[in-house]
Each structure stands twice: as C-alpha cells, then as structure tokens.
Amino acid sequence: MPRKHKTLPRLFVELPLAVGAELQLEKAQSNYLVNVLRLGEGGEVILFNGTDGAFRAVLANGSKKAARLTIEEQTSAQTAPSKIDYIFAPIKTARLDYMVQKATEMGVNALRPMQTQHTQMSRINYDRMRANAVEAAEQCEILNVPQVHEATTLEKLIANWAETDPNRILVFADEETKVSDAAVALKPYDNQQVAVLIGPEGGFSEAERQLLRAQSFCVPISLGPRILRADTAAIVALTLVQSNIGDLR
Amino acid sequence: MPRKHKTLPRLFVELPLAVGAELQLEKAQSNYLVNVLRLGEGGEVILFNGTDGAFRAVLANGSKKAARLTIEEQTSAQTAPSKIDYIFAPIKTARLDYMVQKATEMGVNALRPMQTQHTQMSRINYDRMRANAVEAAEQCEILNVPQVHEATTLEKLIANWAETDPNRILVFADEETKVSDAAVALKPYDNQQVAVLIGPEGGFSEAERQLLRAQSFCVPISLGPRILRADTAAIVALTLVQSNIGDLR
C-alpha cells in the first residue's frame, strides 16, 4: 500500500520461467486465468515461481482447461531471500489464514508451525497455509513465497537450534521482559538471521518461558502495554524486527 | 498476547459504573450474557464503559431479557486516553472489520473515516465500526474504546487541521518519502499528539500526495520496500508510531 493502478494480474506457477518460453497451465490455473481473471487471448499476466523473478506473459490460447502462455519479458529480477523466519503456534482457521497472509506480506522467508503446551492444534492444513502464502504474494507483488515447514514442538525446536541454525537469533514476545524497548534489545543483531516466534493465544507456559529465556540465542522483546491477539502480535513483532534490524529502514 | 488464563468475560456497557451499584442490562446484552456467555446466577463478569475503569460484577438475576448485576469491586482504574488517532479510507467490509479491530488493539483514541479520490466508499456503517471497536476492546482488555468520528474528505481534513487540532501531527505512509527511516522522521515528535493516516488500496492521487506534503504538520514515513494491504499498513504504521514516540517502548 499504496499499490499502483492498472497493474497486471499476477499468477504464481510451479514451472521454470524464462523469456521466450511457452507454458501450458494445468486445469485449475487455466480456469482461474480465463474464468476468474477473465483474461482473453492476447491478454497479459505477470508470472512468478519463487526462484526466477517475474515475467510478463501473453495468453496465446485461452482454453479453460489448458491455457497456453508465451513469456515476453522479465519485469523483475528475483529478490534475495529474507533473513526472517516466522515461527508460530497455529490458531483458529480464519485468523490463521490471515496470520499467514500477513507474515508473507511482512516478507518472511519461512512459515514454521509449532506446538506448545497451550496450543490447541488439530490437523495442520499445510496446503491451505501454502495457498494463503501464494495468494498474499500474488496480491502484494512478493517474489519470495515463504516455504511452509513441517510442524515441530517448542522443545524440539530449542533442542535442535544450535545444530540446525546456529547463527539465527530467536526473537520472542515476552510480557515480562525487563528490556522494554525492542530497539535496545535488537540493536546488537543488525542484519543477522532472525526467527520471530509468536506463542499461542493462551501464552507460553511458565516452563516454556523459562526454557526460552535460558537460551543464549533467544532475544525477548516487549510488544507493549496492551494485550494483542496472536495475528496482531505477528505483524507488530515483524515490524519491530524489520524496522530495527531488517529492511524497513 | 499472551493473555492470562481463566480471565473473566468482559462486557462493555453504556451505563455509569461504581462499586455497590446495581445495574439492569437491556435485552440484547442480557441475552448475550446468559445465553452466549452462559453466565449463571452468582457468575462473574468484568464491566467497563470507557470512562470509569473496569469493575467485577456478579449476576444477581439471570433473566435473559433483563439481567441484573451487582458491582463488587473496581479491578482497574480508567486508563489515560491515547495520543493517537487513526484516520483511514474505508475498505471492503471484512477487512474493514479487521482494520477497526486492529487499530483498537493498537490503542488508538479515535477512528476517523476519510474519503479520498481513490476510495470506493458506499454508505459507511458506523454502528458496525463501533461494534468492532467494542469487541476488540472486550477481547483485549482495553478500557478506552475509540470514538468513531463522522467521515470527512481529505481536503476538509487538511483545511480544518490548524483550527481544530493545531498541536497534532499527521503521519502518513508515503512510498516516495526520502526519509526512509521512520525512527528518524518521527524523532522530533516525542510524546506528541498524532494522527496516523492510511490511504486507500489504490493509493493517494498525486494531487493528494502533494497536498499532504505541503503541510507543515504532515510527517511522511516509509512502510518499507514491500506493498502492504491497507489493513496491514495500519498495524505497521501504528507500530512504528507507538514504538518510536508512543507507549511501545
């Protein structure tokens, strides 16, 4: 926001993209392009696949079952992957959709669901998370669609951290932190790899909070004096990280 | 977030509140308390009215049409009004609901709808905005329910600013601002009265942007390199203001 007027529709495809290439879309995407976006033959669309950048393509054959496109030019180079992962306790569906979309808009590199003691987590719908991330990327002209990781538990996450991701700090919202200013807490970690962790609506258990605080790679920050819902806390925490040690400066 | 477990339900009422008072709720709220929250006689609820603080009350008579409550104790003093107003171009209903809820969570003092050149604004549903603000305040333990102002136009807003609110700065998201760091842009205005302005999804027109920039009370800030939807931009801008010159420090 604000977005430019009359921008072309954007479509994420799981196909290699290069100038001059001809693509045939599978049925669901063909139908979406022709019936939902109402693109006619000769109509233009921006394609991206998360790795090759963005390309302007022209509809050569408006079949609703197997639309064919010709790639005319590259419109953007692929952007560098974000340094920020987002780790979260899944919440109820409607607001989880929203949270995934918003984390994508805020430029995260990965969406990592996590079980905690107070998480009410039934089956995780990974396809739905992925679809929400793709939709947000299409709407907000983001070329790095975040990867959706398999769910883990907080204990495993902490136990494996040093081995799997030793240079990444883990920023978490701690209502009892003594360093109340996120700018002060984050300052030593300029440009570092970061994971932002938002707990469940019920909060972390006391044992979990102690576990987090005991880790040298964990950085507690305050999200302020008000109670925030988890989806709001996500955007607030990501804004604090992006504005202090990320690309929102 | 995180929120405490087993907190009592919270109910906003438009009645004076004081320890020892007995209240009779009107029909809709009686029904909500007894049928939706399933509060039985002797059950407890937190009441607040936006001016007197929060109070623990006990259900004396569980009538679904005219529930009676006795106020037992004050649980929180009324909080000071926020220094931040939120001015916004209304967007489509579902996300407008969300935007109003989120602005309330972020602690704004007033919700001020505004027409711009690129705003698609049909009839504004003030009651719905008010209901969303109340709901967010109930859920997030906020005692200052933001006032919903009558809609105005950007031109009128600017024309009347010096007369109606001369000491308030107007912070707006400007993708072309040269001061890219919100911390730098906001620094001179520590603790000042602020209005945060988020334009429509179509962006401000060039004339509107020039109008805003020409005002000495306007402070342009950048919301970063990504395109944000208006409801996300609201939370990001409010976080930047609260974390730099507000209460999120």
Side-chain angles (χ1 to χ4, degrees):
Chain A
M1 208 287 327
R3 88 187 35 238
K4 291 191 188 71
H5 281 279
K6 294 182 188 164
T7 48
L8 297 175
R10 301 175 77 85
L11 190 65
F12 176 81
V13 293
E14 289 182 327
L15 294 166
L17 298 174
V19 174
E22 295 202 0
L23 308 175
Q24 182 170 315
L25 299 182
E26 41 78 33
K27 196 173 163 186
Q29 286 201 311
S30 299
N31 181 60
Y32 176 74
L33 208 61
V34 176
N35 278 340
V36 181
L37 295 182
R38 300 205 161 269
L39 205 68
E41 284 179 22
E44 295 182 320
V45 62
I46 301 291
L47 302 179
F48 66 109
N49 61 4
T51 52
D52 296 333
F55 296 82
R56 182 173 56 79
V58 173
L59 190 64
N61 166 352
S63 158
K64 292 169 189 177
K65 290 186 179 168
R68 291 189 68 82
L69 294 154
T70 308
I71 297 183
E72 303 248 311
E73 61 165 342
Q74 182 162 27
T75 53
S76 311
Q78 181 64 26
T79 46
S82 158
K83 292 192 166 124
I84 305 179
D85 283 3
Y86 178 55
I87 305 177
F88 58 103
I91 50 178
K92 284 184 191 158
T93 303
R95 289 194 308 109
L96 180 57
D97 289 351
Y98 192 94
M99 185 197 263
V100 166
Q101 292 165 18
K102 295 316 182 197
T104 303
E105 276 182 63
M106 293 304 295
V108 306
N109 182 60
L111 296 160
R112 301 165 57 177
M114 178 198 62
Q115 173 97 51
T116 71
Q117 240 174 286
H118 296 159
T119 308
Q120 270 120 46
M121 196 158 74
S122 48
R123 202 178 64 80
I124 294 183
N125 190 336
Y126 293 99
D127 287 344
R128 187 172 179 128
M129 278 190 203
R130 174 95 177 142
N132 273 300
V134 165
E135 189 192 311
E138 287 175 346
Q139 288 180 343
C140 294
E141 303 186 21
I142 284 166
L143 298 182
N144 285 298
V145 181
Q147 299 295 312
V148 178
H149 289 206
E150 283 251 358
T152 184
T153 64
L154 181 60
E155 286 74 17
K156 282 188 197 156
L157 186 82
I158 297 295
N160 298 331
W161 197 272
E163 200 180 315
T164 56
D165 216 350
N167 296 319
R168 191 180 291 274
I169 58 166
L170 180 57
V171 173
F172 75 104
D174 183 354
E175 59 187 327
E176 285 157 31
T177 181
K178 285 183 190 85
V179 184
S180 61
D181 194 331
V184 175
L186 293 169
K187 198 178 165 103
Y189 307 103
D190 199 15
N191 261 319
Q192 200 158 325
Q193 304 266 88
V194 180
V196 170
L197 168 63
I198 295 293
E201 301 249 291
F204 295 112
S205 70
E206 192 46 41
E208 289 172 334
R209 192 171 287 117
Q210 295 303 335
L211 177 67
L212 284 164
R213 283 194 186 150
Q215 311 305 319
S216 60
F217 54 84
C218 282
V219 180
I221 62 169
S222 164
L223 300 188
R226 284 169 296 279
I227 292 172
L228 301 177
R229 305 207 71 172
D231 48 348
T232 317
I235 305 178
V236 172
L238 288 167
T239 300
L240 291 172
V241 168
Q242 289 283 32
S243 66
N244 282 294
I245 56 171
D247 65 11
L248 207 170
R249 284 181 291 180
Chain B
M1 212 281 328
R3 91 188 29 242
K4 290 192 187 71
H5 282 279
K6 295 181 188 162
T7 47
L8 297 175
R10 300 176 77 84
L11 190 66
F12 175 81
V13 293
E14 289 182 329
L15 295 166
L17 298 174
V19 174
E22 293 203 1
L23 309 176
Q24 181 170 316
L25 299 183
E26 41 78 33
K27 195 173 163 188
Q29 286 201 311
S30 298
N31 182 58
Y32 175 74
L33 209 61
V34 176
N35 279 338
V36 180
L37 295 182
R38 300 202 159 272
L39 205 69
E41 283 177 24
E44 296 182 319
V45 62
I46 301 292
L47 301 179
F48 66 109
N49 61 4
T51 53
D52 296 333
F55 296 82
R56 182 173 56 78
V58 173
L59 190 64
N61 166 352
S63 157
K64 293 169 189 179
K65 290 187 178 169
R68 291 188 69 82
L69 293 153
T70 308
I71 298 184
E72 304 250 309
E73 61 165 341
Q74 182 162 28
T75 54
S76 310
Q78 181 64 24
T79 47
S82 158
K83 291 192 166 126
I84 304 178
D85 282 3
Y86 179 55
I87 304 177
F88 59 102
I91 50 179
K92 284 183 189 160
T93 304
R95 288 191 311 106
L96 180 58
D97 289 351
Y98 192 94
M99 186 196 261
V100 166
Q101 291 165 19
K102 295 316 182 195
T104 305
E105 275 181 63
M106 294 303 296
V108 306
N109 182 59
L111 296 160
R112 301 167 55 178
M114 176 199 63
Q115 173 98 49
T116 72
Q117 237 172 292
H118 296 160
T119 308
Q120 269 118 49
M121 196 156 77
S122 47
R123 202 177 64 81
I124 294 183
N125 190 335
Y126 293 98
D127 287 343
R128 186 172 180 127
M129 278 191 203
R130 174 93 177 145
N132 273 300
V134 165
E135 189 192 312
E138 287 175 343
Q139 288 180 341
C140 295
E141 303 185 20
I142 284 166
L143 298 182
N144 285 299
V145 181
Q147 299 296 313
V148 178
H149 289 206
E150 283 254 357
T152 183
T153 64
L154 181 59
E155 285 74 16
K156 281 186 198 155
L157 186 82
I158 297 295
N160 298 332
W161 197 271
E163 199 179 315
T164 56
D165 216 350
N167 295 319
R168 190 180 291 274
I169 58 165
L170 179 58
V171 172
F172 75 105
D174 183 353
E175 59 188 325
E176 285 156 33
T177 179
K178 284 183 190 85
V179 184
S180 62
D181 194 332
V184 175
L186 293 169
K187 198 179 164 100
Y189 306 103
D190 200 15
N191 262 318
Q192 200 158 327
Q193 304 266 88
V194 180
V196 170
L197 168 63
I198 294 294
E201 301 249 292
F204 296 114
S205 71
E206 191 47 41
E208 289 172 334
R209 192 170 287 115
Q210 294 304 335
L211 177 68
L212 284 164
R213 283 195 186 150
Q215 312 305 319
S216 60
F217 55 83
C218 283
V219 181
I221 62 169
S222 164
L223 300 187
R226 283 168 297 280
I227 292 172
L228 301 177
R229 303 206 70 170
D231 48 349
T232 318
I235 305 177
V236 171
L238 288 167
T239 301
L240 290 173
V241 168
Q242 290 283 32
S243 66
N244 283 295
I245 57 172
D247 66 10
L248 207 169
R249 284 181 293 179

